[in-house]
Amino acid sequence: MTDQPDLRHGESRSVDNSSSVVVDLREYKQSKDPLPVTFHRRELDAILWIYGRMVGDGEWRDYAIDHLKDRAVFSVFKRSGEMPLFRIEKNPKLAAKQGAYSVINVHGTILKRGHELNQVLKVFDKALKLVDK
């Protein structure tokens, strides 16, 4: 306990500093309102490379990115007013299990899931076709 002057009345009063705690402001803010899950630069590069290829093929026309508390979602659309054709999701809670990355179609079916985004995105690779003349 220390005696500190009370400036309002010119008196001394006792103050107990034994319960003082230093708190890291960043940790406090994250515990109160955790940051949303986001795609990192390399992840977005891989996704946007596929997106650009599909736009060039005329299959996709629009996209949306959602950064939610539990996952990040990249949705692709044929037309912007419709349901997404595909969702590319990153869910860190599944990283130790099935893998954090998944591709989900318009019906909610998981087409591919895994630990490596590039492997999961191979679901969009076109199969080679034999053309007879």
Side-chain angles (χ1 to χ4, degrees), residues 93-109:
K93 289 183 182 176
L94 298 175
K97 297 177 182 177
Q98 305 103 332
Y101 303 101
S102 59
V103 174
I104 304 167
N105 71 7
V106 69
H107 305 293
T109 305

Side-chain angles (χ1 to χ4, degrees), residues 10 21 45-46 58 64 69 73-74 83 90 114 125 133:
V21 178
D45 285 346
K69 287 183 181 182
V73 182
F74 187 97
M83 294 288 290
K90 175 185 177 181
D125 287 350
K133 286 189 176 187

Side-chain angles (χ1 to χ4, degrees), residues 4-61:
Q4 294 181 346
D6 186 349
L7 299 177
R8 292 174 295 169
H9 303 290
E11 304 173 351
S12 294
R13 61 184 167 100
S14 290
V15 177
D16 183 8
N17 289 333
S18 63
S19 64
S20 298
V21 178
V22 176
V23 177
D24 184 350
L25 188 58
R26 285 175 293 184
E27 288 179 21
Y28 176 76
K29 284 182 178 180
Q30 287 178 350
S31 68
K32 296 285 278 178
D33 190 21
L35 295 175
V37 177
T38 61
F39 290 108
H40 297 289
R41 175 63 188 233
R42 291 186 191 270
E43 294 166 335
L44 273 177
D45 285 346
I47 293 169
L48 289 172
W49 188 86
I50 297 288
Y51 176 78
R53 192 184 81 210
M54 299 301 261
V55 167
D57 291 345
E59 296 185 33
W60 297 350
R61 298 199 191 284

